[in-house]
Amino acid sequence: MKVRMGMALVLAAMAFAGIANAAEQTESRLTPVIPLPATVVPGEGAFRFDARTRIVARGEEAARVGRDLADRIGRSRGFVPALARRGGDNAVTLVLDPRAPLAGDEAYTLEIMPRGAEVRARASAGLFYGAVTLWQLATADGAQGTATIAAQRIEDAPRFAWRGLMLDVARHFRSVDEVKALIDQMALHKLNTLHWHLADDQGWRIEIPRYPRLTEVGGCRIPAGAAGRNADGTPRPYCGFYTQAQIRDVVAYAAQRHVAVVPEIDLPAHAQAAIAAYPQLGVTGQAPPVSPDWGVHTWLFNVDDGTISFLQNVLDDVMTLFPSRYIHLGGDESVKDQWEQSPAVQARLRALGLKDEKQLQSWFMGRLGQYLQAHGRHMVGWDEILEGGPPADATVMSWRGTQGAIEAARAGHDVVLAPAPDLYFDHVQSDLGDETPGRLGVIDLKSVYAFEPVPRELTAAQQVHVLGAQANLWTEHLRTNERVQRAAFPRAAALAEVTWTPAPRRDWNSFLQRLAPMRARWLAADFHAADSAFAVRIAPAPAPSGSASVILSNQTGFGTIRYTTDGTPPTPQSPAYAGPLQLPVAEQLLTANAFAGDRALAAPRALRLDTRSLRARDSQSLRSCKGGLTLRMEDDAPRDGPRALMTADVFDPCWIYEQADLDGVRRLSVRVGQLPFNFQLWRDVKQVVTRTASQPGGALEVRVDGCAGRVVATLPLAPARASDALSVLDAPLAAMTGRHDLCFVFASGAADPLWAIDEVALLP
């Protein structure tokens, strides 16, 4: 019986990776590509892509794609294919054919045969994406030298036109090189839109030479808390902006990778940095500071003709720098208090014959939207622009769930789905103790993969208005570039498949299989994608006779968990986890990791098994009493090096250690930190709970059997107030037996600083 070589290679690879059910995983091994192509037809044999392979490209556009492919192969496999103008055997041929019968400019076909490969597209975007698919196929094994690719025919085109990421650089600034690194990964996942959030209350990041104070003043803030002070107590500004030359560089770099850059200048709210620079733009005429706070601010642009002209002049520069069809004008979270209280604004409202401030915002946005339209551009706004009636040609970006998208599409507006919390990547992606800072609850990889961009409430005629979807990287709590990268990927890879691959073709288990080689590509590119989906959770519990029962697991349940107890990192030959481990509590280091075949899926996680680790809980492992506005925040006291991460409910900092085993416990040790209360909460400020200080300096109170139970420990805060750094508070604990909930609250008399728990340890 004749066996096709391509399928034989697939089955061999699956056996190598330890896949139990070969039939179910055939395609993910044949085509280990993200996003999964629209159609794949297996062929016979395999193509050996080696140092003698030529890349044949005719015309400058094809040659540019060829040079990019050759460069990527060189960095991945260790050899650089030569470019040629004539074909033959052992060649990769790139063909731009404007008459090719393909679905669009981003579509392509990729034919892989034993004698070579051909990418065909009708436009350079499709040719680029076909070459990216070939590169992923050629790097699936993560090895150097010759790549063997199973024969197959791929016919591919995107499901949606808008496949995006939003990067907020107003809260935390990212350098040009850092933005380019994100664009690189977007392009390699066929994401095609970078929404660049360039201005907000906390910073103005785009140079406008006509208005230099926008960056001179608006580009700097004094951070709240210890981060805003030098060691001698002097202010420590946080500054950053892009020159126009740098913006042109980023836009050109993105265009070469077929990523459109959509700029956002947020208005009429999120304007505090601009008003700090030019107070006449505001309602009150006063100059606020550039905000060091997160949340909903109340500073608005006024509605005078002079302010409209100012913003039109800014948009002139924006349109010159960004060739994108779309310009985002914000429109979100416009608290109308200042407009309501201003006689001048109210007079303007009446003169325009408008009913209320919502209609005034619609008029304001409409004036600027019409200005864009007159210059051949198209306005995008957050879904609040629907409230007073959006400009006729506005595209609506739905962030408050999906209802805005439904309403806008029914009214005939194009829409982009970017709903919170589904696609808000400032949410943490696991509840592991080493997770990055961000919002809770958890938005994990699987939930992103399960997102459906087309609301089921829309009719077929209305669905055509859904341009696509994007994830939003708000950076209040993503201070470093590593954290931005970890927050973005692999969840952006899941979104790439959601927005590219036909819905019936998506398969979660197949996606996990294809993530293993993708993780190797990220590591090779020094890109810090998160491993939260595969990282091993080590959960110990006391057991009889001085031992511990340890459960190992990971978020996805994917891979084989292997472990060691001698302090060395696990390898593919280490013991496989099959059930709870019974281990002696003897200061040994338990280390674990998940593997797919011989590939580690994450960084190893470790826990030293001792008496303390069995009864200690970090703040991530404690339960928030109410779960209001719960954030994972960093201690801002260290100026350099690592910072502790603490989880707290901003409205009510209160924690519960559930079912604490109090047998033999006589002492309580709590590590605490003080964070700046830098939150603008508008009307939600009434939800903030403060507790009267029961002693000078305040105290941490511990109650048993819930927060209404009796106080069993009081730990004074006065010693901790002497330092910005973390402090350890100790107190004796009366003898108790059995399991009880312990409730921890700070009775400090004020919301600022926000006292937070880093770790609670119950000790003998």
Side-chain angles (χ1 to χ4, degrees):
M1 180 178 179
K2 183 177 181 182
V3 178
R4 288 185 293 182
M5 179 63 176
M7 191 60 66
L9 284 169
V10 171
L11 295 173
M14 291 162 64
F16 181 69
I19 305 303
N21 191 335
E24 291 183 0
Q25 300 299 337
T26 295
E27 189 171 56
S28 63
R29 291 294 169 181
L30 175 70
T31 315
V33 171
I34 295 175
L36 187 68
T39 63
V40 178
V41 179
E44 294 190 11
F47 169 48
R48 289 176 57 82
F49 195 162
D50 58 27
R52 295 170 299 173
T53 301
R54 291 166 297 159
I55 296 177
V56 179
R58 298 184 182 90
E60 180 51 36
E61 278 298 307
R64 185 179 62 78
V65 174
R67 288 191 293 270
D68 181 76
L69 175 60
D71 178 64
R72 293 189 191 282
I73 291 294
R75 282 181 277 144
S76 302
R77 308 276 340 171
F79 63 86
V80 180
L83 265 66
R85 292 186 56 81
R86 295 186 179 180
D89 288 345
N90 196 19
V92 171
T93 305
L94 305 177
V95 180
L96 263 180
D97 179 4
R99 294 169 296 180
L102 296 170
D105 286 353
E106 294 183 307
Y108 67 91
T109 60
L110 171 58
E111 187 87 28
I112 298 172
M113 303 156 286
R115 60 182 175 82
E118 180 191 270
V119 181
R120 184 175 293 269
R122 77 182 198 189
S124 58
L127 199 66
F128 175 82
Y129 290 140
V132 164
T133 296
L134 178 59
W135 172 76
Q136 286 197 26
L137 291 169
T139 56
D141 62 3
Q144 292 276 294
T146 300
T148 302
I149 307 172
Q152 56 194 289
R153 177 177 174 79
I154 293 173
E155 297 180 0
D156 204 7
R159 182 184 176 197
F160 294 103
W162 189 300
R163 309 179 302 279
L165 280 180
M166 188 280 294
L167 177 63
D168 165 23
V169 294
R171 277 55 176 254
H172 281 105
F173 184 74
R174 299 271 62 87
S175 72
V176 166
D177 286 344
E178 290 168 343
V179 175
K180 286 180 176 180
L182 185 64
I183 289 170
D184 273 336
Q185 290 304 319
M186 290 177 64
L188 295 176
H189 292 77
K190 303 185 177 73
L191 295 167
N192 68 349
T193 305
L194 174 66
H195 169 184
W196 208 1
H197 188 82
L198 289 163
D200 214 297
D201 299 298
Q202 298 82 8
W204 183 283
R205 305 299 181 203
I206 174 173
E207 179 190 31
I208 307 294
R210 185 170 180 173
Y211 303 118
R213 287 177 60 82
L214 284 173
T215 47
E216 290 172 0
V217 175
C220 289
R221 67 172 180 264
I222 305 300
R229 304 189 304 270
N230 290 308
D232 61 1
T234 57
R236 190 185 192 197
Y238 180 95
C239 303
F241 71 91
Y242 304 101
T243 67
Q244 293 205 351
Q246 288 174 321
I247 288 175
R248 290 189 187 94
D249 180 34
V250 170
V251 169
Y253 187 89
Q256 290 172 357
R257 289 150 183 82
H258 301 280
V259 174
V261 183
V262 175
E264 181 184 359
I265 304 298
D266 208 347
L267 45 89
H270 292 287
Q272 189 165 328
I275 297 170
Y278 293 97
Q280 68 270 26
L281 300 175
V283 176
T284 69
Q286 298 174 331
V290 179
S291 181
D293 298 337
W294 318 134
V296 179
H297 294 60
T298 58
W299 291 85
L300 299 182
F301 286 116
N302 67 45
V303 292
D304 295 346
D305 287 338
T307 295
I308 296 290
S309 296
F310 182 102
L311 294 171
Q312 288 173 341
N313 292 337
V314 168
L315 290 178
D316 286 341
D317 276 31
V318 170
M319 288 186 285
T320 299
L321 294 169
F322 295 92
S324 167
R325 176 190 177 197
Y326 296 98
I327 305 292
H328 204 305
L329 296 185
D332 62 313
E333 296 182 326
S334 297
V335 174
K336 308 298 194 299
D337 294 6
Q338 287 188 343
W339 281 1
E340 292 170 356
Q341 296 161 12
S342 166
V345 172
Q346 290 300 307
R348 179 74 154 168
L349 187 154
R350 290 191 297 272
L352 292 168
L354 302 175
K355 181 178 69 174
D356 56 23
E357 288 75 20
K358 289 182 179 179
Q359 286 192 353
L360 182 61
Q361 176 172 333
S362 181
W363 171 85
F364 183 93
M365 302 296 287
R367 283 281 302 271
L368 295 167
Q370 290 165 12
Y371 191 76
L372 293 178
Q373 189 178 31
H375 290 77
R377 304 305 182 90
H378 197 76
M379 171 187 157
V380 184
W382 299 107
D383 58 54
E384 285 96 330
I385 67 173
L386 292 166
E387 293 174 354
D393 70 334
T395 293
V396 175
M397 187 167 280
S398 186
W399 76 273
R400 296 178 299 175
T402 60
Q403 190 55 43
I406 295 166
E407 180 183 340
R410 285 174 174 170
H413 292 273
D414 287 345
V415 299
V416 176
L417 277 294
D422 311 64
L423 298 182
Y424 266 47
F425 286 2
D426 56 328
H427 277 254
V428 299
Q429 52 198 313
S430 83
D431 58 2
L432 292 172
D434 58 4
E435 185 57 73
T436 57
R439 292 178 66 109
L440 272 69
V442 172
I443 300 298
D444 63 14
L445 184 65
K446 188 173 185 178
S447 69
V448 175
Y449 194 82
F451 178 75
E452 172 48 51
V454 180
R456 64 182 63 185
E457 293 89 343
L458 298 180
T459 66
Q462 294 162 351
Q463 289 175 11
V464 300
H465 289 293
V466 178
L467 300 182
Q470 75 175 31
N472 293 334
L473 281 163
W474 300 109
T475 60
E476 288 94 334
H477 307 290
L478 300 176
R479 179 177 55 88
T480 68
N481 189 51
E482 178 179 350
R483 287 177 180 167
V484 169
Q485 293 179 348
R486 287 181 64 182
F489 285 88
R491 291 184 293 188
L495 181 65
E497 189 140 310
V498 166
T499 53
W500 180 281
T501 305
R505 293 268 293 153
R506 296 200 330 246
D507 180 88
W508 170 242
N509 290 324
S510 165
F511 177 73
L512 292 178
Q513 293 286 341
R514 290 176 279 118
L515 266 185
M518 188 59 77
R519 172 171 161 77
R521 297 184 191 106
W522 290 324
L523 290 172
D526 195 28
F527 191 87
H528 301 279
D531 61 1
S532 311
F534 306 117
V536 175
R537 172 190 294 281
I538 304 175
S545 303
S547 65
S549 178
V550 184
I551 296 174
L552 306 181
S553 63
N554 70 4
Q555 190 182 73
T556 57
F558 180 78
T560 300
I561 294 176
R562 299 183 181 277
Y563 67 94
T564 62
T565 57
D566 61 1
T568 61
T571 70
Q573 289 71 46
S574 298
Y577 174 77
L581 304 174
Q582 303 300 318
L583 299 172
V585 181
E587 295 285 337
Q588 60 182 321
L589 187 66
L590 173 63
T591 310
N593 205 352
F595 291 83
D598 65 344
R599 272 189 172 146
L601 296 173
R605 299 311 200 264
L607 179 71
R608 185 166 298 281
L609 283 175
D610 56 23
T611 302
R612 181 186 179 89
S613 68
L614 293 180
R615 297 179 185 266
R617 299 285 184 274
D618 62 20
S619 61
Q620 186 88 337
S621 303
L622 302 173
R623 178 168 65 84
S624 175
C625 300
K626 294 180 181 177
L629 177 56
T630 308
L631 303 174
R632 184 160 168 78
M633 298 169 282
E634 70 174 2
D635 174 25
D636 70 339
R639 286 166 175 77
D640 300 297
R643 294 178 171 184
L645 302 178
M646 291 168 276
T647 299
D649 178 359
V650 170
F651 291 152
D652 186 3
C654 172
W655 299 259
I656 293 179
Y657 187 137
E658 293 184 298
Q659 292 298 288
D661 182 359
L662 298 180
D663 288 339
V665 173
R666 296 293 182 271
R667 193 161 53 92
L668 187 66
S669 178
V670 187
R671 191 161 59 238
V672 302
Q674 46 186 314
L675 308 173
F677 192 90
N678 59 325
F679 304 99
Q680 293 285 333
L681 301 174
W682 192 38
R683 293 175 182 168
D684 285 336
V685 71
K686 62 181 179 293
Q687 298 186 47
V688 175
V689 175
T690 58
R691 294 174 173 84
T692 303
S694 56
Q695 58 183 274
L700 172 61
E701 296 179 352
V702 186
R703 297 175 181 267
V704 68
D705 296 327
C707 297
R710 63 186 175 89
V711 175
V712 293
T714 301
L715 294 80
L717 290 177
R721 289 183 182 274
S723 170
D724 291 327
L726 294 181
S727 301
V728 177
L729 309 177
D730 288 291
L733 200 62
M736 288 180 280
T737 59
R739 294 182 176 273
H740 300 266
D741 285 354
L742 296 179
C743 175
F744 296 80
V745 295
F746 289 97
S748 63
D752 192 12
L754 191 162
W755 288 94
I757 290 175
D758 181 44
E759 183 194 61
V760 173
L762 307 177
L763 303 174

